[in-house]
Amino acid sequence: MRILIVGCGYVGLELGRRLTASGAEVVGLRRQGDPDGTMAAAGIRAVRGDLTRPEDLEAIPGDFDVVVCTASSNRGGADAYREVYLGGARNLVDWSRRRRLGRIVSVGSTSVYPQSDGSWVTEASPAEPTGQTGQLLVATEEVFAEAHRSGVVPTQVVRVAGIYGPGRGHLFGRFVAGEARQDPDGGRWINMIHRDDVASALEAVLRRGQAGRIYNAVDDAPVRQGDFLRFLADATGLPLPPAAEPRERQESPGPAPARQRGTSNKRVSNRRLREELGWMPRFPTYREGYAEAIAAVVSGTWASAGASA
Ligand SMILES: NC(=O)c1ccc[n+]([C@@H]2O[C@H](COP(=O)([O-])OP(=O)(O)OC[C@H]3O[C@@H](n4cnc5c(N)ncnc54)[C@H](OP(=O)(O)O)[C@@H]3O)[C@@H](O)[C@H]2O)c1
């Protein structure tokens, strides 16, 4: 298999590692190329290029069995979403008219589900967000869906929950720094997934997924914000954060995708990925997923750098 990972960053690099280990030829695209040599170390061939520039895609040599798009807007607002996600999707689909691409797998977000009643949502639930960034993500999904329906290129979308893992975990970082606050009434449901499980979910979808289909990638254990903080306090011995002041409750700190989830309150189901593709998360819940970081906090070796990335 020859695979292109567009936006080969936190998740893309881990996916690339898995794919090269299984014998695939992997090319990774980033605007900065491979500044720290991590792609080369993972056996990924780095190409410098910008998804938002069609000419940069044209310059990538060869055809691909799969293109996985894991590029991120780097937290930006609606303009960045429009440029990177929507514009990037259009560029990839256009490019596929001139290349042989077996399929495109696009990473989306569970922030497209606007439900606010704490209910379970599946891929069949309405995805009609009210916020501008959420609507841009839906429009991006639609570009890929239309490309599939019209026979331009088979596509799949993987809606990913809040990603944590080595060096990442926004609420965890705030908790350890003593900056977290408990939301009122137990808080919203948080849906999470470890970086390594995002990578294995993407691999399952690209190898066994049905074209034209959407898959949620999330762990087994949505957790209320207050319960998560209580778990962290028990596990680390650090104090339980105080309740948020009324003014703080209006704000929902965090990177853009998390902010997007700020108004919604739902539990996202991974049943389709598990039952249709046999996907099994290595970290079924935050308890296993955060065990290493918690042990580092307890032993005093935890480094906060990048945790809020
Ligand atoms: N973080 C979350 O909780 C979360 C939740 C749901 C979904 N997602 C989605 O999951 C995907 C992967 O996230 P991640 O955490 O791995 O993101 P990341 O670490 O920010 O990596 C994204 C990579 O994309 C590259 N990139 C950005 N703009 C580009 C462009 N125009 N052309 C080419 N490459 C570009 C960046 O490198 P350069 O700067 O060198 O280009 C970066 O290495 C993203 O689509 C993100 O939106 C994230």
Side-chain angles (χ1 to χ4, degrees):
M1 273 224 216
R2 188 160 194 266
I3 298 173
L4 172 66
I5 300 177
V6 175
C8 197
Y10 189 65
V11 166
L13 195 62
E14 185 56 30
L15 174 65
R17 271 190 208 111
R18 292 179 69 93
L19 294 171
T20 54
S22 68
E25 181 191 347
V26 180
V27 176
L29 182 83
R30 275 185 66 175
R31 289 169 303 183
Q32 299 180 62
D34 191 14
D36 52 7
T38 44
M39 277 201 249
I44 301 168
R45 185 179 151 210
V47 171
R48 186 193 298 261
D50 186 335
L51 167 67
T52 67
R53 292 163 47 97
E55 60 273 31
D56 287 8
L57 294 177
E58 295 300 339
I60 302 170
D63 297 322
F64 292 92
D65 299 298
V66 183
V67 174
V68 186
C69 186
T70 57
S72 107
S73 64
N74 206 16
R75 300 186 198 184
D79 287 345
Y81 272 55
R82 192 173 291 106
E83 187 180 15
V84 176
Y85 297 129
L86 187 55
R90 289 178 178 144
N91 288 347
L92 281 178
V93 169
D94 271 356
W95 185 53
S96 76
R97 296 175 203 274
R98 295 180 293 282
R99 287 296 169 93
R100 260 188 300 127
L101 304 184
R103 68 172 62 185
I104 300 176
V105 180
S106 171
V107 174
S109 169
T110 56
S111 65
V112 296
Y113 299 116
Q115 290 76 358
S116 58
D117 58 358
S119 57
W120 281 95
V121 297
T122 71
E123 293 82 348
S125 302
E128 295 156 357
T130 50
Q132 206 180 356
T133 51
Q135 288 169 358
L136 285 162
L137 292 178
V138 171
T140 302
E141 289 189 0
E142 184 50 30
V143 169
F144 289 117
E146 174 56 22
H148 176 75
R149 280 195 299 269
S150 56
V152 175
V153 60
T155 63
Q156 294 156 315
V157 170
V158 181
R159 291 177 177 158
V160 175
I163 302 168
Y164 72 94
R168 284 269 182 108
H170 183 72
L171 186 53
F172 182 84
R174 286 179 64 91
F175 167 79
V176 176
E179 294 165 359
R181 296 290 178 268
Q182 287 190 65
D183 288 343
D185 305 323
R188 292 177 299 110
W189 289 97
I190 305 176
N191 298 277
M192 294 182 262
I193 183 166
H194 191 283
R195 175 203 63 185
D196 296 359
D197 289 326
V198 183
S200 71
L202 290 171
E203 185 177 14
V205 169
L206 74 86
R207 289 190 188 279
R208 303 188 294 283
Q210 191 183 317
R213 206 140 167 81
I214 292 172
Y215 297 90
N216 292 336
V218 58
D219 72 14
D220 293 343
V223 58
R224 303 282 299 270
Q225 194 250 17
D227 291 336
F228 182 57
L229 292 174
R230 241 182 312 283
F231 161 77
L232 293 180
D234 287 347
T236 59
L238 294 175
L240 187 63
E245 295 296 324
R247 201 176 54 80
E248 290 176 292
R249 293 176 193 171
Q250 312 285 320
E251 297 163 9
S252 180
R259 254 202 313 273
Q260 183 65 23
R261 290 183 192 94
T263 53
S264 68
N265 184 24
K266 74 264 173 168
R267 285 170 282 173
V268 181
S269 166
N270 62 20
R271 199 161 165 181
R272 177 175 286 178
L273 204 52
R274 275 185 166 278
E275 293 188 356
E276 290 185 14
L277 305 187
W279 174 76
M280 304 247 288
R282 181 173 160 218
F283 303 103
T285 82
Y286 54 89
R287 296 180 195 88
E288 303 82 40
Y290 270 110
E292 204 172 299
I294 287 168
V297 170
V298 171
S299 67
T301 56
W302 191 73
S304 63
S308 60

